Amino acid sequence: MRDTTAESASGAANASGAANASGAASPSGAASPSGAASPPDARQTINQKKRSFYEERSLFLGRICVRLGLTPNALTGMSFLLSIAAGVFFWQQMALWGIAFILLTMFTDVLDGATARAGNMGTPFGGILDHVVDRYGEFFILTGITLSGVVPPVWSLAALFSMLIASYTRAAAESIGKLENCAVGIMGRMEKFALIMIGAALEHYYPTQRWLEFALIIVTAASLITAVQRLVYTKRELEKRDRA
């Protein structure tokens, strides 16, 4: 499951394997008809470095999964079920268990992309499935937080909406705008969930300080800013393409 680095490194890995194998035209070709890829901005370079580091370090886990006979789509299904469990634990105000299951959800999300790369099992459908399950995971976890009554519902719903809109902006830029990569912005999916987990842990031990509420407010603001950054980046890249 990954916005910038992890928002969908696994989905990209699933999709890219099949796109390359099929010989389909790369979106980068559409992004730069002149044949020269447009230079990435500084923020994109940072995100791509993070993604390269993440992919290199997780590849050995993918090899283990391949040897165990696990497939990327099976791991994506496990991530889906774990996110439901995380949401249920938050709903029941069992924050530490909810945090543990968010970590398991994120770990299986790492594994599906790593397995796709290690076993050359990436498919377009696998990439789409991964992205969709990521959004379901966000819904289940934040719905559980909403139902728990620990925070005002407006902030958990705002965090859910803003995370979805940031992800949708990237998806639209890459599918409709044919950009090769729109993984830009100040905060990725993994960082957002890290903030939620930190806020939930602090809320558990210091329930009068409203830590989880503050974490959700930060996630909401960061996600909305990320969506705007992606729109601006997409507009700039499309204008470069038109001038080429």
Side-chain angles (χ1 to χ4, degrees):
M1 308 177 162
R2 305 168 236 42
D3 275 11
T4 51
T5 308
E7 179 195 2
S8 252
S10 66
N14 279 329
S16 63
N20 290 336
S22 64
S26 165
S28 61
S32 185
S34 63
S38 54
D41 61 15
R43 183 69 204 176
Q44 188 183 19
T45 300
I46 292 171
N47 287 330
Q48 289 189 340
K49 285 181 179 178
K50 286 163 58 181
R51 178 173 167 180
S52 296
F53 177 84
Y54 153 84
E55 290 183 348
E56 290 171 5
R57 296 300 182 274
S58 63
L59 193 59
F60 82 95
L61 295 171
R63 295 192 184 103
I64 294 172
C65 290
V66 170
R67 286 197 291 268
L68 292 174
L70 297 172
T71 66
N73 289 349
L75 289 163
T76 300
M78 290 174 60
S79 178
F80 177 81
L81 296 175
L82 289 167
S83 68
I84 294 176
V88 171
F89 281 121
F90 278 114
W91 171 34
Q92 296 300 313
Q93 299 187 19
M94 302 170 68
L96 297 184
W97 280 105
I99 292 168
F101 273 81
I102 288 180
L103 289 171
L104 289 172
T105 299
M106 294 171 68
F107 182 62
T108 52
D109 194 37
V110 168
L111 291 181
D112 65 8
T115 303
R117 293 190 300 275
N120 194 26
M121 293 186 282
T123 65
F125 176 75
I128 294 168
L129 179 66
D130 182 74
H131 281 287
V132 171
V133 167
D134 283 353
R135 307 292 79 79
Y136 270 112
E138 293 162 4
F139 168 77
F140 291 135
I141 291 167
L142 287 164
T143 297
I145 292 173
T146 302
L147 295 175
S148 72
V150 173
V151 299
V154 63
W155 290 120
S156 50
L157 293 174
L160 175 60
F161 169 79
S162 60
M163 289 176 73
L164 292 175
I165 208 68
S167 298
Y168 178 78
T169 304
R170 175 184 174 182
E174 293 176 356
S175 60
I176 301 172
K178 306 299 182 185
L179 297 191
E180 181 178 7
N181 191 345
C182 191
V184 298
I186 61 171
M187 189 178 291
R189 183 171 183 269
M190 185 173 289
E191 291 90 341
K192 293 170 190 174
F193 271 125
L195 268 176
I196 291 172
M197 288 187 289
I198 291 169
L202 290 171
E203 183 82 24
H204 177 78
Y205 291 108
Y206 307 101
T208 62
Q209 301 300 314
R210 301 166 60 188
W211 289 106
L212 184 52
E213 181 179 344
F214 292 146
L216 292 175
I217 291 171
I218 294 171
V219 167
T220 298
S223 298
L224 293 175
I225 292 170
T226 295
V228 172
Q229 287 176 305
R230 290 176 176 180
L231 283 172
V232 172
Y233 174 79
T234 299
K235 184 175 186 296
R236 185 167 65 244
E237 290 301 301
L238 293 176
E239 288 174 349
K240 287 180 185 178
R241 180 193 303 173
D242 292 339
R243 290 195 298 267

